[in-house]
Amino acid sequence: MKQFIPTLTLLLLSSANAQQAEPTSTEISAIPNEVFKTPKISNQSSIQSVSNEPVVAQRVNAGNTDKSDKSEFQAFVQYSTGKILNLYGQDFFSGSPSSFAPLQNTPLPTDYALGPGDEVVIRAWGGVDIDYKTTIDRSGNITLPTVGTISLAGVKAGDAESVIKASVAKLYRDFSMSVTFGRLRAITVYVVGHAKRPGSYTVSGFSTLVTALLASGGPNSVGSMRNVQVKRNGKTVGNLDIYSFIAKGDKSGDIKLQDGDTIFIPAAIGHIALTGKVNTPAIYELKSQNEALNNILEIAGGLPVIADPRRVFLERIDPTKSQPRNVEEFKLDNQGLNKSLKSGDIVTISPITPDFSNAVSLRGNVNQQLRIPYTNGMRIRDLIPNREALTTRATIARRNFEGLDVAATNQNSNSIAARIGNLSDEINWEYAVIERTDKETQSISLVSFNLGRAMADINSPDNLTLQPGDVVTVFSQNDIRVPASKRKVVVRVEGEVNIPGVYEMTPGDTIQSLIAKAGGATNNAYIFGAEFYREQVRKEQQINLEKAVRRLEAQVRSENVKVAANDTSNDAATASARIQVAKESSANAIARLRDLKATGRISLDLDPSENNEGLNKLPILKLENGDQLIIPSRPDFVHIFGAVNQESSLIWQKGATVDKYLQNSGLTPDADTENIFILRANGTVLSSTGRGWFSSINSYTLMPGDTIVVPERLNKETPYKVFTSGLKDWAQILSGFGISAAAIKSLRQ
């Protein structure tokens, strides 16, 4: 069965009649008498538009099938270097077309030599009328009625029209002519030797050696790409170096094929591996036994700029020695470039060492990280000329864009206020450092200096002398935490003060200092309900909150196991449903706890009776950067929720106790009166625990903003009770995380 092999279809044209017997001239139709008056030569009633139909090469009598094999040397290189290197040039043969469909209307090269089997279409009009199609016979001739025999063997396709026209012009005058070509002859060539797919191939008559190689897949892993031969009549008529063609575009060895040609691919003389920093790492074939390295580098495209020509390593195999492998190092000077390579060599070109010989670097909290050339006597101020060089890009971005964003959008005042004072990255002026490397010992030493003094006085001893290779690092106060006395303190005060705002304070200032700077508290200030927030505390609270939730989750899982093990119900379905409901309830409770976020509130723990004493009773608490103080106005309500008839906010009455508010709201039958607790406006929790034998929470006098929580009494032992029955304890815990009464209320939803 005929088998078709993909190739470059633009160049490989074959006749659809390639398997026919020898072509014969087309018979001449009867010529009417009037042809001599107005001659008309035709052999068809209506000649269709003729187009060349190039077909891909047809593989006949196939040999070995295509194998994607890897040579022994490739495997050896992979073992030695850990890299898989391809044979140079193999990719050129890997993209053969997979379709065998013919391409239509491909132009015929003008230098194509006509021969037996080529179809010629002749048209003439004017003094003679010719519409004739014929095929060149074995003798290389065509016979044109009334004109005679015309020899076209060896005539180039571009010259065919002038040759035929000259013969017709001997008999007729004043006419025009067009000569085109129909189907072209096919030739058979043989691909032998170390080819990927050896066999016989039927290709078009104007195919070349390269196109036939493409059809056969080229040389295999041990075949030569440097010495492909064309043999004709027992002689070698052509040699092709595929490397020259691929690397340089040199097709001088790409001869046109003739019928019966044999393409012989000998075994390669040898291969070497070129790896490391080269433009085309690969396995290369040697053209001779002692080819120079420079020739291979030229084919490989030379070296990239990051290659180090001073360090080239050559691994060589000498089977005559007891230890057959050895390695040598050399430079790519004239002697190195002309070094002779032997089969089995592995050449590795090292990359350059990225160290700078004459540079000093600046990094860290700076406007731009720099690497500049070192000069004799260079000092810190030569690297950092002014303080503007220490303004970071992030600082510039916040100044340029964040302020605009705030002005252009409707952000709430809390978001805007949080930005104030944080536009710049505070520099650590007390400490900067030089990292210095001793090139002899490769040890690193740190030389610290006072950046502030170096920038203030060019003659300061802190304006140190630099050395080549030094790296100077500038820190912000966030990189290395400085003492509190040297840190920036920007805090907010809001609510019932005369001038709420964001203030820059002096390290060591207290809450009292802040309120005084804000013009003092107003007459409506409710000091008992003052809220104080700190970011560092919020982070710590959040970590502890997550730990507490994980502990509760483990406890609930343990209770779930106990309930399932102790369930003695006879109805398995009912018991399973009950356990499932309990699991879902506890899971929902845990999920709500996970949604809680610590606020960073610090309870000021003021006594309710001391509210009218003003600011004197506030604790002396030193301020930190980012602190926030909110002094609310006195609220008019007391809140109550839980197991009551109506969760509501009741008007605060001076001297009214818990019992009074419970009577107004009414308790449900499930109310757990023994575990009622109060979330106080100052952020603490008050319960009956520890109030003494005769004391009760019900007798406690409430303050404005306090919240009464009445838990439910649960009679059934379920895992959910672990959570709900301990709501009082959890409220006390959560208050330590700054969780508000509203958030604790949400746990019951």
Side-chain angles (χ1 to χ4, degrees):
M1 179 181 293
K2 298 176 184 179
Q3 182 178 0
F4 292 90
I5 303 301
T7 184
L8 290 182
T9 53
L10 292 178
L11 297 175
L12 296 181
L13 308 177
S14 67
S15 170
N17 298 322
Q19 303 304 313
Q20 294 179 354
E22 67 175 85
T24 57
S25 300
T26 307
E27 295 183 357
I28 306 173
S29 61
I31 304 175
N33 292 331
E34 54 265 36
V35 74
F36 297 102
K37 180 178 181 182
T38 307
K40 180 177 182 180
I41 304 173
S42 175
N43 67 340
Q44 54 188 22
S45 58
S46 176
I47 294 184
Q48 304 295 321
S49 58
V50 179
S51 64
N52 297 329
E53 297 181 1
V55 184
V56 294
Q58 178 181 357
R59 187 181 180 200
V60 184
N61 193 18
N64 295 330
T65 57
D66 187 9
K67 297 180 181 179
S68 56
D69 56 332
K70 182 168 65 173
S71 69
E72 291 290 340
F73 185 59
Q74 281 179 286
F76 173 74
V77 172
Q78 182 179 354
Y79 171 79
S80 300
T81 66
K83 300 176 182 178
I84 301 175
L85 297 182
N86 293 327
L87 287 169
Y88 181 81
Q90 270 195 341
D91 290 345
F92 180 71
F93 298 98
S94 64
S96 299
S98 59
S99 171
F100 302 106
L103 297 178
Q104 303 294 333
N105 302 318
T106 300
L108 184 66
T110 57
D111 60 349
Y112 172 70
L114 298 175
D118 291 335
E119 192 174 60
V120 183
V121 179
I122 305 168
R123 290 187 177 92
W125 57 94
V128 63
D129 187 5
I130 302 175
D131 192 354
Y132 191 74
K133 179 166 64 174
T134 186
T135 302
I136 301 175
D137 60 21
R138 278 187 178 182
S139 300
N141 302 324
I142 62 171
T143 302
L144 192 62
T146 74
V147 175
T149 299
I150 302 174
S151 176
L152 292 180
V155 175
K156 294 182 178 179
D159 299 332
E161 182 175 313
S162 60
V163 171
I164 297 173
K165 189 173 183 179
S167 297
V168 175
K170 294 177 181 178
L171 299 176
Y172 304 102
R173 300 179 177 229
D174 301 326
F175 65 92
S176 298
M177 176 173 287
S178 169
V179 175
T180 59
F181 303 94
R183 298 193 181 277
L184 304 172
R185 73 182 186 276
I187 62 175
T188 299
V189 297
Y190 305 92
V191 181
V192 297
H194 294 279
K196 279 190 177 180
R197 297 186 291 270
S200 60
Y201 290 82
T202 299
V203 296
S204 66
F206 56 86
S207 293
T208 66
L209 173 56
V210 169
T211 54
L213 285 173
L214 285 167
S216 64
N220 61 21
S221 60
V222 297
S224 174
M225 291 193 184
R226 311 297 303 272
N227 185 29
V228 180
Q229 304 170 15
V230 177
K231 296 182 180 294
R232 184 179 300 157
N233 298 324
K235 296 181 180 180
T236 300
V237 295
N239 293 80
L240 174 66
D241 185 349
I242 299 176
Y243 279 15
S244 295
F245 175 47
I246 296 175
K248 305 175 184 178
D250 181 7
K251 285 190 66 177
S252 57
D254 185 25
I255 67 171
K256 285 185 172 58
L257 299 176
Q258 295 183 12
D259 190 45
D261 281 351
T262 298
I263 300 171
F264 173 63
I265 303 177
I269 291 177
H271 290 92
I272 64 100
L274 185 60
T275 185
K277 293 305 174 183
V278 293
N279 284 325
T280 312
I283 291 176
Y284 291 86
E285 178 186 342
L286 296 175
K287 192 168 186 178
S288 62
Q289 291 286 357
N290 296 297
E291 187 164 10
L293 174 59
N294 189 41
N295 294 343
I296 301 297
L297 288 176
E298 184 179 1
I299 295 171
L303 304 180
V305 294
I306 60 173
D308 188 353
R310 300 167 301 175
R311 300 194 71 197
V312 181
F313 298 93
L314 172 62
E315 298 178 29
R316 176 162 289 174
I317 300 174
D318 187 351
T320 63
K321 296 182 178 179
S322 58
Q323 293 292 332
R325 296 185 65 189
N326 63 79
V327 61
E328 61 179 285
E329 181 179 357
F330 62 94
K331 300 178 182 179
L332 287 182
D333 51 16
N334 288 335
Q335 182 179 354
L337 290 172
N338 290 311
K339 179 177 285 292
S340 297
L341 299 178
K342 295 182 179 180
S343 182
D345 285 351
I346 300 177
V347 180
T348 303
I349 299 177
S350 302
I352 60 171
T353 303
D355 287 346
F356 287 89
S357 60
N358 66 332
V360 291
S361 304
L362 175 66
R363 68 178 184 181
N365 196 86
V366 294
N367 178 276
Q368 184 175 1
Q369 300 200 42
L370 298 174
R371 184 179 293 112
I372 63 176
Y374 170 81
T375 57
N376 290 331
M378 177 179 284
R379 294 177 176 270
I380 294 293
R381 288 292 300 274
D382 297 315
L383 186 61
I384 312 174
N386 50 52
R387 293 176 183 261
E388 286 75 13
L390 303 177
T391 303
T392 65
R393 297 298 179 94
T395 294
I396 295 173
R398 287 194 290 269
R399 291 175 182 175
N400 291 344
F401 300 106
E402 289 193 10
L404 293 176
D405 292 343
V406 170
T409 59
N410 295 322
Q411 298 187 45
N412 60 59
S413 58
N414 185 63
S415 298
I416 298 173
R419 297 169 182 264
I420 297 177
N422 294 313
L423 289 178
S424 300
D425 297 315
E426 289 295 313
I427 298 171
N428 185 344
W429 295 105
E430 303 293 326
Y431 175 84
V433 68
I434 301 171
E435 291 180 77
R436 182 167 292 163
T437 303
D438 187 329
K439 292 187 177 180
E440 294 294 329
T441 63
Q442 290 300 306
S443 61
I444 297 176
S445 60
L446 301 180
V447 183
S448 61
F449 62 96
N450 187 296
L451 179 61
R453 289 197 293 264
M455 298 307 298
D457 183 5
I458 195 171
N459 296 317
S460 169
D462 288 280
N463 186 21
L464 300 176
T465 301
L466 298 174
Q467 296 180 9
D470 281 354
V471 177
V472 179
T473 303
V474 176
F475 299 93
S476 72
Q477 293 186 7
N478 294 327
D479 297 324
I480 298 179
R481 192 173 179 85
V482 299
S485 60
K486 298 179 180 180
R487 290 199 293 267
K488 174 185 68 173
V489 179
V490 177
V491 296
R492 281 187 286 166
V493 59
E494 304 176 46
E496 293 301 323
V497 291
N498 287 306
I499 312 175
V502 181
Y503 292 93
E504 182 177 3
M505 306 298 292
T506 302
D509 282 347
T510 62
I511 293 178
Q512 291 83 351
S513 305
L514 174 61
I515 295 176
K517 197 163 189 176
T522 67
N523 294 331
N524 294 326
Y526 186 47
I527 303 300
F528 177 70
E531 303 171 21
F532 186 78
Y533 298 93
R534 178 165 288 173
E535 176 62 19
Q536 184 60 32
V537 173
R538 184 198 67 77
K539 294 178 181 178
E540 295 170 357
Q541 287 176 346
Q542 186 64 38
I543 293 173
N544 292 330
L545 174 60
E546 292 169 358
K547 290 180 180 178
V549 172
R550 286 196 295 270
R551 285 197 300 270
L552 177 63
E553 187 176 21
Q555 186 180 356
V556 168
R557 282 199 301 266
S558 177
E559 290 295 327
N560 280 329
V561 173
K562 290 180 181 179
V563 170
N566 297 330
D567 195 311
T568 58
S569 173
N570 293 328
D571 189 346
T574 303
S576 176
R578 184 166 55 248
I579 293 172
Q580 184 62 31
V581 170
K583 287 183 178 180
E584 292 178 358
S585 299
S586 56
N588 290 336
I590 296 296
R592 288 196 293 272
L593 275 173
R594 290 191 183 280
D595 290 338
L596 295 179
K597 300 298 180 183
T599 63
R601 182 178 180 180
I602 300 174
S603 175
L604 300 180
D605 200 22
L606 293 172
D607 192 289
S609 63
E610 297 174 345
N611 183 63
N612 296 330
E613 297 296 326
L615 304 177
N616 296 331
K617 298 299 181 179
L618 283 172
I620 299 176
L621 186 63
K622 291 183 180 180
L623 299 173
E624 293 185 4
N625 188 50
D627 285 350
Q628 180 183 11
L629 175 65
I630 301 175
I631 301 179
S633 58
R634 196 194 73 175
D636 295 324
F637 300 97
V638 170
H639 312 286
I640 184 170
F641 68 86
V644 294
N645 293 327
Q646 183 177 4
E647 295 184 345
S648 59
S649 297
L650 304 176
I651 297 176
W652 176 76
Q653 298 177 18
K654 186 175 182 179
T657 63
V658 172
D659 189 58
K660 175 67 175 178
Y661 290 105
L662 291 176
Q663 291 176 14
N664 292 339
S665 293
L667 298 175
T668 67
D670 294 331
D672 185 0
T673 57
E674 295 180 359
N675 288 304
I676 294 173
F677 60 94
I678 300 169
L679 300 173
R680 297 198 294 181
N682 69 348
T684 60
V685 175
L686 182 68
S687 68
S688 57
T689 304
R691 293 184 61 82
W693 184 261
F694 298 102
S695 179
S696 171
I697 193 70
N698 292 26
S699 62
Y700 179 76
T701 301
L702 295 178
M703 292 293 292
D706 286 349
T707 300
I708 303 170
V709 182
V710 183
E712 295 179 357
R713 181 183 293 107
L714 297 179
N715 297 321
K716 296 180 180 180
E717 289 295 327
T718 65
Y720 186 49
K721 185 178 180 182
V722 174
F723 174 75
T724 55
S725 64
L727 187 60
K728 173 192 65 177
D729 299 328
W730 267 98
Q732 197 156 4
I733 294 172
L734 294 176
S735 67
F737 301 140
I739 305 299
S740 66
I744 294 175
K745 180 180 178 180
S746 70
L747 297 177
R748 299 180 58 257
Q749 302 301 318

